[in-house]
Amino acid sequence: MFSSRTGLRATLREGGYLYSGASGTGTTTEVDLGDLGTCRTLPTSALSVQVASGSAALELYPGASCTGAATWRSGSLAQTDLPWAAWSYRVVRA
């Protein structure tokens, strides 16, 4: 379960997932954590993220095609709401 500190309640599962809603709710996009370096644009923005991997992390961007003034990077174990809506991402080594 997400910790009470984050307020997220989804059960932690192996892999990478982006959610269109806060707290692991809404439409789920499964991320291919083996696809290192490829920029992917989402059909709807992500507001929360979950990553459970020994070797991969996500870099998330506020604009399509991995653009924007800020980048948010997860660790290889993350389960949290994002600071802003993410429209694109790439998988990177943790």
Side-chain angles (χ1 to χ4, degrees), residues 54-76:
S55 60
L58 295 178
E59 284 185 351
L60 295 129
Y61 300 84
S65 301
C66 297
T67 61
T71 302
W72 187 90
R73 185 173 177 157
S74 77
S76 61

Side-chain angles (χ1 to χ4, degrees), residues 32-73:
D32 178 359
L33 294 177
D35 186 18
L36 292 171
T38 303
C39 178
R40 303 280 182 194
T41 297
L42 297 164
T44 58
S45 65
L47 297 178
S48 55
V49 61
Q50 176 185 294
V51 177
S53 165
S55 60
L58 295 178
E59 284 185 351
L60 295 129
Y61 300 84
S65 301
C66 297
T67 61
T71 302
W72 187 90
R73 185 173 177 157

